[in-house]
Amino acid sequence: MKLNINGQIIDKHAVWWDEEINKVKLIDQTKIPFVVEILTCNTYRDTADAIKNMNIRGAPAIGAAAAYGFVQAIWEFWGDKDYESKLKYAYKTLLAARPTAIDLKNGLDYIQSFFPIDPENALKKAKRLADEIAAEGKKIGQIGKELIHDEMNILTHCHTGALALVDFGSAIAPIIAAWEDGKQFHVYVDETRPRIQGRMTAWELYQYKINHTVICDSVSGYLMSKGKIDMVILGADRVVQNGDIANKIGTYNIAVLAKHHQVPFYTAFPKSTYDPRTKSGKDIKIETRSNEEITHVIGYSSEEKRLTRIELYGSGSKFYNPAFDVTPADLITGYITPYGILTSSQELKTFFQPRTE
Amino acid sequence: MKLNINGQIIDKHAVWWDEEINKVKLIDQTKIPFVVEILTCNTYRDTADAIKNMNIRGAPAIGAAAAYGFVQAIWEFWGDKDYESKLKYAYKTLLAARPTAIDLKNGLDYIQSFFPIDPENALKKAKRLADEIAAEGKKIGQIGKELIHDEMNILTHCHTGALALVDFGSAIAPIIAAWEDGKQFHVYVDETRPRIQGRMTAWELYQYKINHTVICDSVSGYLMSKGKIDMVILGADRVVQNGDIANKIGTYNIAVLAKHHQVPFYTAFPKSTYDPRTKSGKDIKIETRSNEEITHVIGYSSEEKRLTRIELYGSGSKFYNPAFDVTPADLITGYITPYGILTSSQELKTFFQPRTE
């Protein structure tokens, strides 16, 4: 995607390898929409931290970042006498950065499947992975755009744009592709507390001048009851054997509401999000994140003229912050994938073959 | 309720008439939980502004504030040659402060029903109204507490505590009464974006040391799917003839989710919230509030050591901020009222007679 960084237009993925300095770089997603900044990860530990701290987020982008991070470890320890144990430790560290997105593990396992591999070739594989994910985003857009028609109102949740999927986006890709075809429609963007990823979605839609309105997460049912939502499209962080999905907390609420109002509910995702080894949504471990994501928010203070972090709550309360929830297959109308719009777990199984050489 | 204001314990309603200075005073709800401050309203216009700006909020408390505000106008214009037209204007101004809560209109109409009335006697009526609402809160607590049992997990939304209902609270009243009876249970408190009234609920529950956990609004379905919500209790801003209710945005989402998971869904409210003149939820006008409630939040900056307002969004987006939604009667298990736990619109009609002398 093209980004304007301090007046300079760069055309980059969400995460990439800087050839000149042999470091991983990524667009810092914690500062958007206020500042567009590039973060440099000097070691695989920095990359793991960037995943953990959500400087990079979105399941497919995390997968690419993990693959690059793993290459950094190979680069760092190549020729070392404890190479194998150090690499094993790096694998574990990167894997532990975010537990829910299967893409992370898929990214690491993809690199590992070529072992033994030298740093230069490992890097080629990581780049190919990132390029393939980006190409899948483009494909998802072309396939999914057929669902979108003039005058539709579409609801989306969380952030599934180019920055979340290396490039092009997952759930946003069909929206952008349909817009570029000249279709006229409108998107409701869920705020997506606690991390307010809706502001990133709004920011990406604004880059394309796509009609959109931001709403709080609790407004979806009211809009559906008024007939103002024609379709839900959102992403996925993990899609398992029986077709259940894990996705950003709040997805399940929307799915139940969509069913109640007979609103079609679509999830869009690339290959790396599919997890054929997990049977059902019940088997997915849901990540509980820090209370501070609820109690503190970052935004721009016009008085201080800078980004400021404030506390929203008083003392004496407990908080619970599950980052994802599970939506069962029977609430899902269709899966928008690079292979078409699939509608059953059998189709998912047929089309999603493990990534190989 | 007892409040600790700068080390001084005061036992006050959410809004009251200060005899010494003949002004309306209220606990400023926009600063809780960070600061507990009393706001003085010198004229009825100040009181209308306090309602509009949500310095006082919660449907029944708004009703009492409106009655006191109307008394201020009577006090101000008594003996004036344009008394009637000025009073009519004051009525309109106060009524326009918040459109959804019927309590506001009920509070004004209650005072008006005694016209012509002198200032001293009007004040007596307003005080009686406030006392009666508080007494109803106490009754709601005693009646509703029977629904609460040991080890229950209760979900509540928005703020329905003492500050929202003059005293004792509506949905919170049964929770406090059951806790004071020694029952051991746990309350999930919805954050309630955009205004984050959950922090007031959390603050009030903390005053009683009641076990509670704050969650984002999108977590309710996930908890229900895990069997972790045994009951929903929340308030109402308007209850109409057919038993539909208007309440804080997000209530409808919870109601649909509760139905889907067969979780009992209760709404608690006093007499002033009942609106026998409106037939169905479809006839309720829903207030759309300022975008700034979504785009800006106030919290405590530990760096600045003061309350700070920050902006959460970038430019280029539209926002939509409906303050309430409508929940149809068929999603409501029961109405917790001062007259018992009612279960039908016929029962509501029978028990809720218009307030008269």
Side-chain angles (χ1 to χ4, degrees):
Chain A
M1 71 175 315
K2 289 202 177 87
L3 289 170
N4 183 329
I5 301 193
N6 302 323
Q8 198 186 343
I9 304 293
I10 65 161
D11 192 357
K12 285 292 180 192
H13 283 173
V15 54
W16 68 96
W17 186 277
D18 187 322
E19 306 281 351
E20 289 179 22
I21 55 173
N22 275 330
K23 310 280 184 205
V24 171
K25 287 189 171 176
L26 48 89
I27 313 287
D28 187 351
Q29 298 189 35
T30 60
K31 294 185 177 169
I32 285 174
F34 307 105
V35 190
V36 184
E37 258 179 26
I38 293 169
L39 184 73
T40 302
C41 301
N42 293 309
T43 68
Y44 83 85
R45 291 170 210 84
D46 290 347
T47 304
D49 283 345
I51 294 170
K52 192 173 180 182
N53 299 332
M54 295 173 64
N55 301 99
I56 186 157
R57 42 150 300 289
I62 287 173
Y68 280 128
F70 205 22
V71 171
Q72 284 180 292
I74 295 171
W75 210 278
E76 185 177 344
F77 302 129
W78 185 249
D80 194 298
K81 72 175 163 55
D82 297 325
Y83 178 74
E84 272 186 35
S85 69
K86 283 182 174 171
L87 225 54
K88 199 173 271 180
Y89 185 79
Y91 179 100
K92 273 190 195 166
T93 304
L94 285 158
L95 186 64
R98 291 295 297 276
T100 303
I102 188 66
D103 307 63
L104 198 160
K105 186 171 189 301
N106 285 344
L108 296 171
D109 289 350
Y110 176 67
I111 300 297
Q112 194 167 250
S113 71
F114 302 108
F115 276 14
I117 189 169
D118 65 87
E120 288 286 357
N121 276 309
L123 176 57
K124 276 184 195 156
K125 300 296 181 193
K127 279 184 190 166
R128 197 178 79 177
L129 179 68
D131 285 342
E132 279 183 19
I133 296 172
E136 286 182 58
K138 193 168 185 178
K139 200 82 193 284
I140 288 167
Q142 293 306 312
I143 286 169
K145 73 180 184 183
E146 302 304 330
L147 294 167
I148 299 174
H149 307 296
D150 281 338
E151 294 181 24
M152 263 191 168
N153 281 295
I154 300 164
L155 172 66
T156 192
H157 188 68
C158 199
H159 175 252
T160 58
L163 290 178
L165 188 135
V166 184
D167 212 341
F168 297 101
S170 56
I172 290 302
I175 290 169
I176 293 172
W179 192 261
E180 289 181 335
D181 279 359
K183 289 180 189 169
Q184 291 292 321
F185 53 88
H186 173 260
V187 183
Y188 282 106
V189 177
D190 257 357
E191 170 166 87
T192 319
R193 277 282 285 158
R195 290 297 287 257
I196 319 183
Q197 286 95 340
R199 65 188 178 191
M200 295 183 57
T201 299
W203 176 79
E204 276 200 43
L205 292 176
Y206 177 60
Q207 309 301 310
Y208 295 89
K209 304 282 181 281
I210 296 174
N211 289 334
H212 68 281
T213 302
V214 178
I215 54 172
C216 289
D217 300 317
S218 53
V219 181
S220 46
Y222 178 62
L223 286 173
M224 287 184 198
S225 76
K226 296 274 181 190
K228 285 185 180 163
I229 306 283
D230 299 301
M231 178 168 39
V232 176
I233 310 184
L234 38 70
D237 286 79
R238 190 181 289 227
V239 181
V240 300
Q241 250 186 52
N242 71 345
D244 293 354
I245 66 166
N247 192 45
K248 180 54 54 194
I249 188 73
T251 299
Y252 177 67
N253 280 17
I254 298 170
V256 170
L257 288 160
K259 188 82 169 182
H260 187 81
H261 295 91
Q262 298 179 290
V263 171
F265 179 97
Y266 291 94
T267 169
F269 52 90
K271 194 187 272 186
S272 60
T273 302
Y274 186 62
D275 172 17
R277 287 174 296 276
T278 300
K279 278 195 181 164
S280 122
K282 290 188 185 70
D283 307 319
I284 301 172
K285 186 190 160 170
I286 295 294
E287 174 185 3
T288 301
R289 293 181 59 86
S290 157
N291 293 345
E292 291 203 359
E293 293 192 343
I294 302 176
T295 57
H296 292 70
V297 288
I298 292 173
Y300 185 77
S301 159
S302 56
E303 209 176 329
E304 303 297 327
K305 301 207 189 310
R306 60 178 171 85
L307 285 184
T308 301
R309 183 168 180 267
I310 61 171
E311 184 162 9
L312 298 177
Y313 287 86
S315 55
S317 297
K318 283 189 294 182
F319 294 84
Y320 175 54
N321 182 22
F324 303 92
D325 59 26
V326 172
T327 297
D330 62 6
L331 298 179
I332 298 168
T333 309
Y335 307 86
I336 306 173
T337 77
Y339 314 108
I341 297 164
L342 312 181
T343 55
S344 71
S345 59
Q346 188 50 50
E347 281 187 354
L348 286 169
K349 197 177 163 187
T350 305
F351 284 96
F352 282 82
Q353 299 299 326
R355 195 183 294 269
T356 52
E357 178 70 23
Chain B
M1 70 175 314
K2 289 204 177 85
L3 289 170
N4 184 329
I5 301 193
N6 302 323
Q8 197 185 346
I9 304 293
I10 65 159
D11 192 355
K12 285 290 180 193
H13 283 174
V15 54
W16 69 96
W17 186 277
D18 187 321
E19 307 280 351
E20 290 180 22
I21 55 174
N22 274 331
K23 310 279 184 203
V24 172
K25 287 190 170 175
L26 48 89
I27 313 287
D28 187 350
Q29 299 189 34
T30 59
K31 294 186 178 169
I32 285 172
F34 306 104
V35 189
V36 184
E37 258 178 28
I38 294 169
L39 184 73
T40 302
C41 301
N42 293 309
T43 67
Y44 83 85
R45 291 170 210 84
D46 290 349
T47 305
D49 282 346
I51 294 170
K52 190 173 181 182
N53 300 330
M54 295 172 67
N55 302 100
I56 185 155
R57 41 150 303 289
I62 287 173
Y68 279 128
F70 205 22
V71 171
Q72 283 180 293
I74 295 172
W75 211 278
E76 186 177 344
F77 302 128
W78 185 248
D80 195 297
K81 72 174 163 59
D82 298 325
Y83 178 73
E84 271 187 37
S85 69
K86 283 184 175 172
L87 225 54
K88 200 172 271 179
Y89 185 79
Y91 179 100
K92 273 190 195 167
T93 303
L94 286 158
L95 186 64
R98 292 292 300 274
T100 304
I102 188 67
D103 306 64
L104 199 160
K105 186 171 189 304
N106 284 344
L108 296 171
D109 289 350
Y110 176 67
I111 299 298
Q112 194 166 251
S113 71
F114 303 108
F115 276 15
I117 189 168
D118 64 272
E120 287 287 357
N121 276 309
L123 176 58
K124 274 184 196 155
K125 299 297 180 194
K127 279 184 189 165
R128 198 179 78 178
L129 178 69
D131 285 342
E132 279 183 19
I133 296 173
E136 287 182 57
K138 193 169 185 178
K139 200 84 193 285
I140 288 168
Q142 293 305 311
I143 285 168
K145 72 180 185 183
E146 302 304 329
L147 294 167
I148 299 174
H149 307 296
D150 281 339
E151 295 182 23
M152 263 191 170
N153 281 295
I154 301 163
L155 172 66
T156 192
H157 188 69
C158 199
H159 175 251
T160 59
L163 290 179
L165 189 135
V166 183
D167 212 342
F168 297 102
S170 56
I172 290 301
I175 289 169
I176 292 171
W179 191 261
E180 288 181 335
D181 280 358
K183 289 180 189 169
Q184 291 292 320
F185 53 88
H186 172 260
V187 183
Y188 282 106
V189 177
D190 258 356
E191 170 164 87
T192 319
R193 276 285 282 158
R195 290 295 289 256
I196 319 183
Q197 286 95 338
R199 65 188 177 190
M200 294 183 58
T201 300
W203 175 80
E204 275 200 46
L205 293 176
Y206 177 61
Q207 309 300 310
Y208 295 89
K209 304 281 181 285
I210 296 174
N211 289 335
H212 68 280
T213 301
V214 178
I215 54 172
C216 289
D217 300 316
S218 53
V219 181
S220 46
Y222 178 63
L223 286 172
M224 289 185 197
S225 76
K226 296 275 181 190
K228 285 184 180 164
I229 306 283
D230 300 302
M231 176 167 40
V232 176
I233 310 184
L234 38 70
D237 286 78
R238 190 183 287 228
V239 180
V240 299
Q241 251 186 50
N242 72 344
D244 294 354
I245 66 166
N247 192 45
K248 181 52 56 195
I249 188 75
T251 298
Y252 177 67
N253 280 16
I254 297 170
V256 171
L257 289 161
K259 187 81 167 184
H260 186 82
H261 295 92
Q262 299 178 291
V263 171
F265 179 98
Y266 291 94
T267 169
F269 52 91
K271 194 186 273 187
S272 59
T273 302
Y274 185 62
D275 172 16
R277 287 174 298 275
T278 300
K279 279 196 180 163
S280 123
K282 289 187 186 70
D283 307 318
I284 302 173
K285 185 189 160 173
I286 296 295
E287 174 184 2
T288 300
R289 292 182 59 86
S290 157
N291 294 344
E292 290 202 359
E293 292 191 345
I294 302 176
T295 58
H296 291 71
V297 289
I298 291 172
Y300 185 77
S301 159
S302 56
E303 209 177 326
E304 303 296 326
K305 301 208 189 310
R306 60 178 170 86
L307 286 185
T308 301
R309 184 166 179 268
I310 61 171
E311 184 161 10
L312 298 177
Y313 287 85
S315 56
S317 296
K318 284 188 294 182
F319 294 84
Y320 175 54
N321 182 23
F324 303 93
D325 58 26
V326 172
T327 297
D330 62 6
L331 299 178
I332 298 168
T333 310
Y335 306 85
I336 306 173
T337 77
Y339 315 107
I341 297 163
L342 312 182
T343 54
S344 70
S345 58
Q346 188 50 51
E347 281 187 355
L348 286 170
K349 198 178 163 187
T350 306
F351 285 96
F352 282 83
Q353 299 299 327
R355 195 182 296 269
T356 52
E357 177 71 25

